[in-house]
Amino acid sequence: MEDRVRVVIAEDSVLLREGLTRLLTDRGHDVVAGVGDGDALIKTITELDGQGELPDVVVADVRMPPTHTDEGVRAAVQLRKAHPGLGVLVLSQYVEERYATELLAGSSRGVGYLLKDRVAEVREFVDAVVRVAKGGTALDPEVVAQLLGRSRKQDVLAGLTPREREVLGLMAEGRTNSAIARQLVVSDGAVEKHVSNIFLKLGLSPSDGDHRRVLAVLTYLNS
């Protein structure tokens, strides 16, 4: 498969871990390891890296043993610092803004934050895993909505129109221009115009190249 990716799953619920493994392997992906806590995740990734077999992406629960607070996301942040090319997709029962912000504090390339309910939407979940593995972004709409509620209070986005905010919010979910056009029932050209205006208003010059989209999303989420 052209989009085949190698995955490590970190989830303390054996039932959910096995379920995620089945979802991914049934669609042709390789789950190379499954662990139940943050320390085991870091150890496994370190060992795989030492063997020259670093996976494409880690799927990790935010809350894992021993305290079931933030072990998963802490491990994810540590792994992103040690292995910048490693995709990290974290799963959470509900939106935890502090953890989402921490995970996105560096580059948003190859990062995702989904609510566990999203796993039930199998195709969407698997697409998110592949997108993050390939350096893209996958953010749950609820995460975006909550962070948008905070960012609306900030001056940096004050110059955007309501429609431009809506487009930027969909960009933050990892959607392409074509997907945004379908969601808003407008033409691709209209979306491209909105995106260009967003870049202009956020002070992102053409010299920033393809990273302008990532920078725009980071500005949106961290403002």
PDB file of all heavy atoms in Angstrom, residues 12 37-38 60-75 90-94 96 98-100 102 113 116:
ATOM      1  N   ASP A  12      -3.543   1.801  27.939  1.00  0.00           N
ATOM      2  CA  ASP A  12      -3.529   0.849  29.052  1.00  0.00           C
ATOM      3  C   ASP A  12      -4.713  -0.110  29.031  1.00  0.00           C
ATOM      4  O   ASP A  12      -4.659  -1.186  29.632  1.00  0.00           O
ATOM      5  CB  ASP A  12      -3.470   1.591  30.390  1.00  0.00           C
ATOM      6  CG  ASP A  12      -4.682   2.470  30.623  1.00  0.00           C
ATOM      7  OD1 ASP A  12      -4.843   3.453  29.878  1.00  0.00           O
ATOM      8  OD2 ASP A  12      -5.447   2.189  31.553  1.00  0.00           O
ATOM      9  N   ASP A  37       1.828   1.849  29.128  1.00  0.00           N
ATOM     10  CA  ASP A  37       2.127   3.032  29.932  1.00  0.00           C
ATOM     11  C   ASP A  37       3.186   3.888  29.247  1.00  0.00           C
ATOM     12  O   ASP A  37       3.829   3.457  28.280  1.00  0.00           O
ATOM     13  CB  ASP A  37       2.575   2.656  31.351  1.00  0.00           C
ATOM     14  CG  ASP A  37       3.839   1.822  31.363  1.00  0.00           C
ATOM     15  OD1 ASP A  37       4.919   2.380  31.063  1.00  0.00           O
ATOM     16  OD2 ASP A  37       3.761   0.612  31.661  1.00  0.00           O
ATOM     17  N   GLY A  38       3.363   5.112  29.755  1.00  0.00           N
ATOM     18  CA  GLY A  38       4.269   6.064  29.134  1.00  0.00           C
ATOM     19  C   GLY A  38       5.718   5.632  29.145  1.00  0.00           C
ATOM     20  O   GLY A  38       6.448   5.818  28.156  1.00  0.00           O
ATOM     21  N   ALA A  60      -1.258   7.409  21.183  1.00  0.00           N
ATOM     22  CA  ALA A  60      -1.139   7.284  22.637  1.00  0.00           C
ATOM     23  C   ALA A  60      -2.321   7.903  23.363  1.00  0.00           C
ATOM     24  O   ALA A  60      -2.805   8.984  22.987  1.00  0.00           O
ATOM     25  CB  ALA A  60       0.153   7.949  23.113  1.00  0.00           C
ATOM     26  N   ASP A  61      -2.766   7.225  24.403  1.00  0.00           N
ATOM     27  CA  ASP A  61      -3.784   7.786  25.289  1.00  0.00           C
ATOM     28  C   ASP A  61      -3.148   8.897  26.120  1.00  0.00           C
ATOM     29  O   ASP A  61      -1.984   8.790  26.534  1.00  0.00           O
ATOM     30  CB  ASP A  61      -4.325   6.684  26.201  1.00  0.00           C
ATOM     31  CG  ASP A  61      -5.572   7.106  26.963  1.00  0.00           C
ATOM     32  OD1 ASP A  61      -5.976   8.281  26.850  1.00  0.00           O
ATOM     33  OD2 ASP A  61      -6.134   6.262  27.675  1.00  0.00           O
ATOM     34  N   VAL A  62      -3.898   9.979  26.372  1.00  0.00           N
ATOM     35  CA  VAL A  62      -3.379  11.060  27.204  1.00  0.00           C
ATOM     36  C   VAL A  62      -3.128  10.573  28.623  1.00  0.00           C
ATOM     37  O   VAL A  62      -2.093  10.864  29.228  1.00  0.00           O
ATOM     38  CB  VAL A  62      -4.361  12.253  27.216  1.00  0.00           C
ATOM     39  CG1 VAL A  62      -4.016  13.230  28.346  1.00  0.00           C
ATOM     40  CG2 VAL A  62      -4.328  12.993  25.881  1.00  0.00           C
ATOM     41  N   ARG A  63      -4.061   9.812  29.174  1.00  0.00           N
ATOM     42  CA  ARG A  63      -3.989   9.365  30.573  1.00  0.00           C
ATOM     43  C   ARG A  63      -3.628   7.881  30.635  1.00  0.00           C
ATOM     44  O   ARG A  63      -4.357   7.035  30.112  1.00  0.00           O
ATOM     45  CB  ARG A  63      -5.324   9.594  31.271  1.00  0.00           C
ATOM     46  CG  ARG A  63      -5.731  11.062  31.349  1.00  0.00           C
ATOM     47  CD  ARG A  63      -7.155  11.213  31.865  1.00  0.00           C
ATOM     48  NE  ARG A  63      -7.548  12.601  31.959  1.00  0.00           N
ATOM     49  CZ  ARG A  63      -7.477  13.336  33.070  1.00  0.00           C
ATOM     50  NH1 ARG A  63      -7.038  12.778  34.183  1.00  0.00           N
ATOM     51  NH2 ARG A  63      -7.859  14.598  33.075  1.00  0.00           N
ATOM     52  N   MET A  64      -2.499   7.595  31.283  1.00  0.00           N
ATOM     53  CA  MET A  64      -2.056   6.209  31.430  1.00  0.00           C
ATOM     54  C   MET A  64      -1.464   5.995  32.823  1.00  0.00           C
ATOM     55  O   MET A  64      -1.240   6.959  33.565  1.00  0.00           O
ATOM     56  CB  MET A  64      -1.047   5.860  30.334  1.00  0.00           C
ATOM     57  CG  MET A  64      -1.663   5.707  28.950  1.00  0.00           C
ATOM     58  SD  MET A  64      -0.567   4.895  27.747  1.00  0.00           S
ATOM     59  CE  MET A  64       0.680   6.140  27.532  1.00  0.00           C
ATOM     60  N   PRO A  65      -1.214   4.736  33.208  1.00  0.00           N
ATOM     61  CA  PRO A  65      -0.629   4.444  34.520  1.00  0.00           C
ATOM     62  C   PRO A  65       0.730   5.114  34.672  1.00  0.00           C
ATOM     63  O   PRO A  65       1.392   5.419  33.676  1.00  0.00           O
ATOM     64  CB  PRO A  65      -0.499   2.910  34.501  1.00  0.00           C
ATOM     65  CG  PRO A  65      -1.492   2.449  33.483  1.00  0.00           C
ATOM     66  CD  PRO A  65      -1.509   3.517  32.440  1.00  0.00           C
ATOM     67  N   PRO A  66       1.159   5.366  35.945  1.00  0.00           N
ATOM     68  CA  PRO A  66       0.499   4.890  37.166  1.00  0.00           C
ATOM     69  C   PRO A  66      -0.572   5.827  37.729  1.00  0.00           C
ATOM     70  O   PRO A  66      -1.434   5.397  38.480  1.00  0.00           O
ATOM     71  CB  PRO A  66       1.662   4.784  38.158  1.00  0.00           C
ATOM     72  CG  PRO A  66       2.611   5.858  37.711  1.00  0.00           C
ATOM     73  CD  PRO A  66       2.526   5.885  36.211  1.00  0.00           C
ATOM     74  N   THR A  67      -0.549   7.114  37.398  1.00  0.00           N
ATOM     75  CA  THR A  67      -1.481   8.060  38.028  1.00  0.00           C
ATOM     76  C   THR A  67      -2.711   8.339  37.178  1.00  0.00           C
ATOM     77  O   THR A  67      -3.664   8.942  37.665  1.00  0.00           O
ATOM     78  CB  THR A  67      -0.780   9.401  38.324  1.00  0.00           C
ATOM     79  OG1 THR A  67      -0.471  10.061  37.087  1.00  0.00           O
ATOM     80  CG2 THR A  67       0.486   9.190  39.134  1.00  0.00           C
ATOM     81  N   HIS A  68      -2.682   7.931  35.928  1.00  0.00           N
ATOM     82  CA  HIS A  68      -3.797   8.180  35.007  1.00  0.00           C
ATOM     83  C   HIS A  68      -4.134   9.671  34.904  1.00  0.00           C
ATOM     84  O   HIS A  68      -5.305  10.056  34.880  1.00  0.00           O
ATOM     85  CB  HIS A  68      -5.037   7.391  35.435  1.00  0.00           C
ATOM     86  CG  HIS A  68      -4.880   5.914  35.279  1.00  0.00           C
ATOM     87  ND1 HIS A  68      -5.052   5.256  34.079  1.00  0.00           N
ATOM     88  CD2 HIS A  68      -4.529   4.961  36.186  1.00  0.00           C
ATOM     89  CE1 HIS A  68      -4.831   3.962  34.244  1.00  0.00           C
ATOM     90  NE2 HIS A  68      -4.513   3.755  35.508  1.00  0.00           N
ATOM     91  N   THR A  69      -3.096  10.492  34.860  1.00  0.00           N
ATOM     92  CA  THR A  69      -3.309  11.929  34.673  1.00  0.00           C
ATOM     93  C   THR A  69      -2.762  12.348  33.309  1.00  0.00           C
ATOM     94  O   THR A  69      -3.513  12.463  32.350  1.00  0.00           O
ATOM     95  CB  THR A  69      -2.651  12.743  35.796  1.00  0.00           C
ATOM     96  OG1 THR A  69      -1.255  12.380  35.899  1.00  0.00           O
ATOM     97  CG2 THR A  69      -3.346  12.494  37.123  1.00  0.00           C
ATOM     98  N   ASP A  70      -1.441  12.552  33.226  1.00  0.00           N
ATOM     99  CA  ASP A  70      -0.891  13.070  31.976  1.00  0.00           C
ATOM    100  C   ASP A  70       0.307  12.272  31.451  1.00  0.00           C
ATOM    101  O   ASP A  70       1.069  12.784  30.635  1.00  0.00           O
ATOM    102  CB  ASP A  70      -0.488  14.526  32.155  1.00  0.00           C
ATOM    103  CG  ASP A  70       0.588  14.716  33.225  1.00  0.00           C
ATOM    104  OD1 ASP A  70       0.966  13.712  33.873  1.00  0.00           O
ATOM    105  OD2 ASP A  70       1.034  15.856  33.418  1.00  0.00           O
ATOM    106  N   GLU A  71       0.452  11.030  31.905  1.00  0.00           N
ATOM    107  CA  GLU A  71       1.636  10.253  31.496  1.00  0.00           C
ATOM    108  C   GLU A  71       1.745  10.097  29.981  1.00  0.00           C
ATOM    109  O   GLU A  71       2.836  10.183  29.410  1.00  0.00           O
ATOM    110  CB  GLU A  71       1.615   8.855  32.140  1.00  0.00           C
ATOM    111  CG  GLU A  71       2.008   8.822  33.600  1.00  0.00           C
ATOM    112  CD  GLU A  71       0.845   9.158  34.522  1.00  0.00           C
ATOM    113  OE1 GLU A  71      -0.249   9.469  34.023  1.00  0.00           O
ATOM    114  OE2 GLU A  71       1.034   9.090  35.743  1.00  0.00           O
ATOM    115  N   GLY A  72       0.616   9.869  29.326  1.00  0.00           N
ATOM    116  CA  GLY A  72       0.644   9.658  27.889  1.00  0.00           C
ATOM    117  C   GLY A  72       1.093  10.880  27.118  1.00  0.00           C
ATOM    118  O   GLY A  72       1.954  10.797  26.239  1.00  0.00           O
ATOM    119  N   VAL A  73       0.516  12.031  27.443  1.00  0.00           N
ATOM    120  CA  VAL A  73       0.876  13.245  26.703  1.00  0.00           C
ATOM    121  C   VAL A  73       2.287  13.695  27.056  1.00  0.00           C
ATOM    122  O   VAL A  73       3.011  14.242  26.212  1.00  0.00           O
ATOM    123  CB  VAL A  73      -0.156  14.371  26.940  1.00  0.00           C
ATOM    124  CG1 VAL A  73      -0.021  14.991  28.315  1.00  0.00           C
ATOM    125  CG2 VAL A  73      -0.030  15.441  25.859  1.00  0.00           C
ATOM    126  N   ARG A  74       2.714  13.460  28.299  1.00  0.00           N
ATOM    127  CA  ARG A  74       4.095  13.794  28.675  1.00  0.00           C
ATOM    128  C   ARG A  74       5.077  12.967  27.838  1.00  0.00           C
ATOM    129  O   ARG A  74       6.085  13.481  27.349  1.00  0.00           O
ATOM    130  CB  ARG A  74       4.332  13.525  30.157  1.00  0.00           C
ATOM    131  CG  ARG A  74       3.577  14.430  31.096  1.00  0.00           C
ATOM    132  CD  ARG A  74       4.117  15.835  31.065  1.00  0.00           C
ATOM    133  NE  ARG A  74       3.392  16.701  31.974  1.00  0.00           N
ATOM    134  CZ  ARG A  74       3.488  18.022  31.993  1.00  0.00           C
ATOM    135  NH1 ARG A  74       4.299  18.623  31.132  1.00  0.00           N
ATOM    136  NH2 ARG A  74       2.786  18.744  32.834  1.00  0.00           N
ATOM    137  N   ALA A  75       4.771  11.689  27.702  1.00  0.00           N
ATOM    138  CA  ALA A  75       5.632  10.835  26.889  1.00  0.00           C
ATOM    139  C   ALA A  75       5.627  11.300  25.436  1.00  0.00           C
ATOM    140  O   ALA A  75       6.666  11.307  24.763  1.00  0.00           O
ATOM    141  CB  ALA A  75       5.156   9.383  26.981  1.00  0.00           C
ATOM    142  N   VAL A  90      -2.485  11.748  19.844  1.00  0.00           N
ATOM    143  CA  VAL A  90      -2.956  11.410  21.180  1.00  0.00           C
ATOM    144  C   VAL A  90      -4.475  11.330  21.201  1.00  0.00           C
ATOM    145  O   VAL A  90      -5.165  12.027  20.456  1.00  0.00           O
ATOM    146  CB  VAL A  90      -2.461  12.423  22.249  1.00  0.00           C
ATOM    147  CG1 VAL A  90      -0.949  12.448  22.319  1.00  0.00           C
ATOM    148  CG2 VAL A  90      -3.005  13.818  21.985  1.00  0.00           C
ATOM    149  N   LEU A  91      -4.973  10.452  22.051  1.00  0.00           N
ATOM    150  CA  LEU A  91      -6.405  10.240  22.217  1.00  0.00           C
ATOM    151  C   LEU A  91      -6.807  10.638  23.624  1.00  0.00           C
ATOM    152  O   LEU A  91      -6.090  10.364  24.585  1.00  0.00           O
ATOM    153  CB  LEU A  91      -6.758   8.774  21.976  1.00  0.00           C
ATOM    154  CG  LEU A  91      -6.345   8.161  20.636  1.00  0.00           C
ATOM    155  CD1 LEU A  91      -6.717   6.678  20.607  1.00  0.00           C
ATOM    156  CD2 LEU A  91      -6.995   8.896  19.484  1.00  0.00           C
ATOM    157  N   SER A  92      -7.969  11.271  23.739  1.00  0.00           N
ATOM    158  CA  SER A  92      -8.430  11.714  25.050  1.00  0.00           C
ATOM    159  C   SER A  92      -9.933  11.504  25.166  1.00  0.00           C
ATOM    160  O   SER A  92     -10.655  11.542  24.166  1.00  0.00           O
ATOM    161  CB  SER A  92      -8.097  13.201  25.262  1.00  0.00           C
ATOM    162  OG  SER A  92      -8.527  13.650  26.525  1.00  0.00           O
ATOM    163  N   GLN A  93     -10.400  11.287  26.381  1.00  0.00           N
ATOM    164  CA  GLN A  93     -11.829  11.094  26.614  1.00  0.00           C
ATOM    165  C   GLN A  93     -12.596  12.385  26.390  1.00  0.00           C
ATOM    166  O   GLN A  93     -13.734  12.380  25.936  1.00  0.00           O
ATOM    167  CB  GLN A  93     -12.064  10.589  28.044  1.00  0.00           C
ATOM    168  CG  GLN A  93     -13.442   9.987  28.276  1.00  0.00           C
ATOM    169  CD  GLN A  93     -13.638   8.686  27.505  1.00  0.00           C
ATOM    170  OE1 GLN A  93     -12.740   7.860  27.433  1.00  0.00           O
ATOM    171  NE2 GLN A  93     -14.811   8.508  26.917  1.00  0.00           N
ATOM    172  N   TYR A  94     -11.966  13.501  26.728  1.00  0.00           N
ATOM    173  CA  TYR A  94     -12.586  14.817  26.522  1.00  0.00           C
ATOM    174  C   TYR A  94     -11.479  15.832  26.285  1.00  0.00           C
ATOM    175  O   TYR A  94     -10.297  15.526  26.462  1.00  0.00           O
ATOM    176  CB  TYR A  94     -13.449  15.210  27.718  1.00  0.00           C
ATOM    177  CG  TYR A  94     -12.767  15.095  29.056  1.00  0.00           C
ATOM    178  CD1 TYR A  94     -12.023  16.150  29.590  1.00  0.00           C
ATOM    179  CD2 TYR A  94     -12.864  13.915  29.793  1.00  0.00           C
ATOM    180  CE1 TYR A  94     -11.397  16.033  30.819  1.00  0.00           C
ATOM    181  CE2 TYR A  94     -12.239  13.791  31.022  1.00  0.00           C
ATOM    182  CZ  TYR A  94     -11.508  14.852  31.528  1.00  0.00           C
ATOM    183  OH  TYR A  94     -10.879  14.733  32.741  1.00  0.00           O
ATOM    184  N   GLU A  96      -8.817  18.405  26.776  1.00  0.00           N
ATOM    185  CA  GLU A  96      -7.983  18.915  27.859  1.00  0.00           C
ATOM    186  C   GLU A  96      -7.063  19.967  27.244  1.00  0.00           C
ATOM    187  O   GLU A  96      -6.027  19.661  26.676  1.00  0.00           O
ATOM    188  CB  GLU A  96      -7.204  17.763  28.496  1.00  0.00           C
ATOM    189  CG  GLU A  96      -8.141  16.707  29.083  1.00  0.00           C
ATOM    190  CD  GLU A  96      -7.406  15.565  29.755  1.00  0.00           C
ATOM    191  OE1 GLU A  96      -7.072  15.697  30.942  1.00  0.00           O
ATOM    192  OE2 GLU A  96      -7.192  14.553  29.094  1.00  0.00           O
ATOM    193  N   ARG A  98      -5.020  22.287  28.182  1.00  0.00           N
ATOM    194  CA  ARG A  98      -3.609  22.467  28.553  1.00  0.00           C
ATOM    195  C   ARG A  98      -2.735  21.453  27.835  1.00  0.00           C
ATOM    196  O   ARG A  98      -1.648  21.775  27.351  1.00  0.00           O
ATOM    197  CB  ARG A  98      -3.438  22.333  30.070  1.00  0.00           C
ATOM    198  CG  ARG A  98      -1.985  22.437  30.539  1.00  0.00           C
ATOM    199  CD  ARG A  98      -1.932  22.590  32.054  1.00  0.00           C
ATOM    200  NE  ARG A  98      -2.455  21.431  32.736  1.00  0.00           N
ATOM    201  CZ  ARG A  98      -1.710  20.369  33.074  1.00  0.00           C
ATOM    202  NH1 ARG A  98      -0.425  20.347  32.767  1.00  0.00           N
ATOM    203  NH2 ARG A  98      -2.241  19.359  33.717  1.00  0.00           N
ATOM    204  N   TYR A  99      -3.195  20.215  27.754  1.00  0.00           N
ATOM    205  CA  TYR A  99      -2.407  19.183  27.104  1.00  0.00           C
ATOM    206  C   TYR A  99      -2.351  19.402  25.588  1.00  0.00           C
ATOM    207  O   TYR A  99      -1.322  19.184  24.949  1.00  0.00           O
ATOM    208  CB  TYR A  99      -2.991  17.804  27.407  1.00  0.00           C
ATOM    209  CG  TYR A  99      -2.983  17.446  28.877  1.00  0.00           C
ATOM    210  CD1 TYR A  99      -3.962  16.641  29.424  1.00  0.00           C
ATOM    211  CD2 TYR A  99      -1.991  17.944  29.720  1.00  0.00           C
ATOM    212  CE1 TYR A  99      -3.952  16.299  30.777  1.00  0.00           C
ATOM    213  CE2 TYR A  99      -1.977  17.621  31.071  1.00  0.00           C
ATOM    214  CZ  TYR A  99      -2.957  16.799  31.600  1.00  0.00           C
ATOM    215  OH  TYR A  99      -2.948  16.483  32.932  1.00  0.00           O
ATOM    216  N   ALA A 100      -3.468  19.810  25.012  1.00  0.00           N
ATOM    217  CA  ALA A 100      -3.484  20.088  23.573  1.00  0.00           C
ATOM    218  C   ALA A 100      -2.517  21.203  23.231  1.00  0.00           C
ATOM    219  O   ALA A 100      -1.757  21.126  22.258  1.00  0.00           O
ATOM    220  CB  ALA A 100      -4.897  20.458  23.128  1.00  0.00           C
ATOM    221  N   GLU A 102       0.110  22.150  24.964  1.00  0.00           N
ATOM    222  CA  GLU A 102       1.486  21.701  25.195  1.00  0.00           C
ATOM    223  C   GLU A 102       1.988  20.855  24.028  1.00  0.00           C
ATOM    224  O   GLU A 102       3.129  20.997  23.581  1.00  0.00           O
ATOM    225  CB  GLU A 102       1.566  20.908  26.492  1.00  0.00           C
ATOM    226  CG  GLU A 102       2.980  20.484  26.864  1.00  0.00           C
ATOM    227  CD  GLU A 102       3.050  19.864  28.249  1.00  0.00           C
ATOM    228  OE1 GLU A 102       1.995  19.664  28.869  1.00  0.00           O
ATOM    229  OE2 GLU A 102       4.176  19.565  28.694  1.00  0.00           O
ATOM    230  N   TYR A 113      -4.613  15.346  17.798  1.00  0.00           N
ATOM    231  CA  TYR A 113      -5.296  15.254  19.091  1.00  0.00           C
ATOM    232  C   TYR A 113      -6.760  14.956  18.786  1.00  0.00           C
ATOM    233  O   TYR A 113      -7.470  15.802  18.242  1.00  0.00           O
ATOM    234  CB  TYR A 113      -5.157  16.571  19.853  1.00  0.00           C
ATOM    235  CG  TYR A 113      -5.626  16.533  21.293  1.00  0.00           C
ATOM    236  CD1 TYR A 113      -4.730  16.732  22.336  1.00  0.00           C
ATOM    237  CD2 TYR A 113      -6.962  16.313  21.621  1.00  0.00           C
ATOM    238  CE1 TYR A 113      -5.159  16.715  23.669  1.00  0.00           C
ATOM    239  CE2 TYR A 113      -7.391  16.279  22.938  1.00  0.00           C
ATOM    240  CZ  TYR A 113      -6.481  16.483  23.956  1.00  0.00           C
ATOM    241  OH  TYR A 113      -6.909  16.460  25.266  1.00  0.00           O
ATOM    242  N   LYS A 116     -11.684  10.205  21.927  1.00  0.00           N
ATOM    243  CA  LYS A 116     -11.827   8.761  21.718  1.00  0.00           C
ATOM    244  C   LYS A 116     -13.103   8.410  20.961  1.00  0.00           C
ATOM    245  O   LYS A 116     -13.155   7.380  20.269  1.00  0.00           O
ATOM    246  CB  LYS A 116     -11.775   8.028  23.054  1.00  0.00           C
ATOM    247  CG  LYS A 116     -10.376   7.963  23.648  1.00  0.00           C
ATOM    248  CD  LYS A 116     -10.328   7.069  24.873  1.00  0.00           C
ATOM    249  CE  LYS A 116      -8.895   6.904  25.373  1.00  0.00           C
ATOM    250  NZ  LYS A 116      -8.819   6.030  26.558  1.00  0.00           N
TER     251      LYS A 116
END
